[in-house]
Amino acid sequence: MSRAGDRVDNPWLAGLDDLGDIDVIRRRAWVPGQAVSLPDGVPIELRTQALSQALASIYVPTDRGCRILTLLVGRMRAFLHDCYPDARTFLSRLYDGPAEDRGEVFLCLTGPAGVGKSALMAALERVLPAPQRLRLDAAHPQVRIDLVRRVQVKANISDSAVLCALANPAFASRRKVPKVSEAIEHLRRWFYTCGVATVVVDEMQFLTQSATANTRAAQLLLSLGYPGVPVTYIANYSLGHRLKARPQEERQRLLADHLVLRPDPPDAASWEALVAEYVKVAPDVLRLDPESHAWDLHRMTGGLPRLLRQLITTTFRYLAPANGGVVSIGALREIYRSRYFDTQRTDVEAMLSLSESMLLARGRKDLVCPFAGKDVAGDGLGYAENAADGASKTGSDSPFHAVPLSAQHQLESTLSPAAHATLKQLRRSGTTVAKKARKGATVTPIRRNSGSVEADLFAGIQALRDLNDKGKRRPPDPDDDA
């Protein structure tokens, strides 16, 4: 069916035509920063809370996140095209009952805690068209088309309660708690009536707090899959490892299809843009330069937006009152090394270690991706720019193998803005020389005066790079260039 035909004959697909364009998805998903007032006369805790809420409301989609959203929208479109070919077929299935088995319906969205998986699913709801009401003919009342249903799982909530949270309010409000089988049968018809194309299951980490958590999580997910609507569930790495311990028949259903959301590399445009949006919230307070400080902020947070927000708000709470209400890069470094950021610093340094060696992998499964293997070339979900410069050499088990945190990058994260500008200029000159050399043109070597700042900078970075290469404990990757 053509797109024009979809718009005319299939109202369930209305508004999805433009979502194959990643730029459209990025624009709809983006939530910019809004300035917030932080007056001195207000208690520091209230100002900190206001700052935290303002930062948490910001969302800057990464390239990988936008591609995941594009993939999810494509799956929803295919599902709708199959289930709702036209109004006549819809009404027929509504009376006879929708099909009970639609094949594999589970998609696991995993990634380290704090990377923004829940924020990505919230962005999916912004990207999609708003719920609408549709009248099929004069003999039937309007039906509501609501493409996404989202449910959050809490620690002590029963499976029946989770299912009822997705149900028709009239069904959920009954005095007698329905059986799981009754709730599943209701959801099969209710989802079909409402045009639900995907169910998002969030906060699954609350089920990982007991010895039987993997059994409970697997049973709940399977129950959510029985209505026949695609289920996208968010799982931290820890839950992924637990589900891999389940019997084969459950793994084949729950883990056969998965996507991994990894942190941005420090040189990604979206990471710098995220820092810029944070600064917009309180530019008089957050005295940060997104371009020159992006590397340092990445080094202290592992590229995780949640940790970046925590670093900023913790610094504002404890150091800003004594620093004239200002949060500087120096103050952020001080808080990073302090006891106030001890828990987060432990995780960040473990991430750094895992990016270079897998010695900590057995004891820190919460930081190690449960799925082995590399991204498929050309799948649109890898970091081609990092693979090109050799940043992804530690193997697929490293949760941050796409994030370059070598000794060279650690050095660069400590440079002043002036040194960063000098290094950027030198790299640009080196790139120009390399391009001319590949074309066979005669090039004039760059002169570096002995004892200059530029020469010392180059020599230091090269020395650290050589030391880093010699000191690595892992065997060479056969995929590395010789």
Side-chain angles (χ1 to χ4, degrees), residues 64 93 100 135 138 180 188-189 191 212 254 261 315 323 331 337 344 381 389 475:
R64 190 179 185 94
R93 292 176 177 175
E100 295 187 7
R135 182 175 291 279
V180 171
R188 180 177 290 112
R189 290 181 175 273
F191 284 167
T212 60
L254 298 177
L261 182 63
T315 304
N323 291 342
R337 295 188 294 267
Q344 298 93 326
L381 296 176
D389 65 15

Side-chain angles (χ1 to χ4, degrees), residues 287-349:
R287 302 290 179 84
L288 302 172
D289 179 63
E291 182 176 359
S292 59
H293 293 153
W295 284 80
D296 202 0
L297 294 172
H298 194 284
R299 170 62 186 86
M300 292 187 288
T301 62
L304 299 175
R306 182 191 297 170
L307 292 193
L308 178 58
R309 294 194 299 270
Q310 290 177 355
L311 180 64
I312 291 173
T313 54
T314 304
T315 304
F316 180 75
R317 174 183 287 115
Y318 292 109
L319 291 186
N323 291 342
V326 171
V327 173
S328 64
I329 189 65
L332 291 170
R333 290 170 180 159
E334 183 176 350
I335 285 295
Y336 174 78
R337 295 188 294 267
S338 74
R339 62 182 175 86
Y340 299 111
F341 209 70
D342 175 71
T343 300
Q344 298 93 326
R345 184 178 65 252
T346 299
D347 289 340
V348 170
E349 292 178 355

Side-chain angles (χ1 to χ4, degrees), residues 389-401:
D389 65 15
S392 181
K393 294 182 179 180
T394 61
S396 60
D397 289 333
S398 171
F400 296 88
H401 68 270

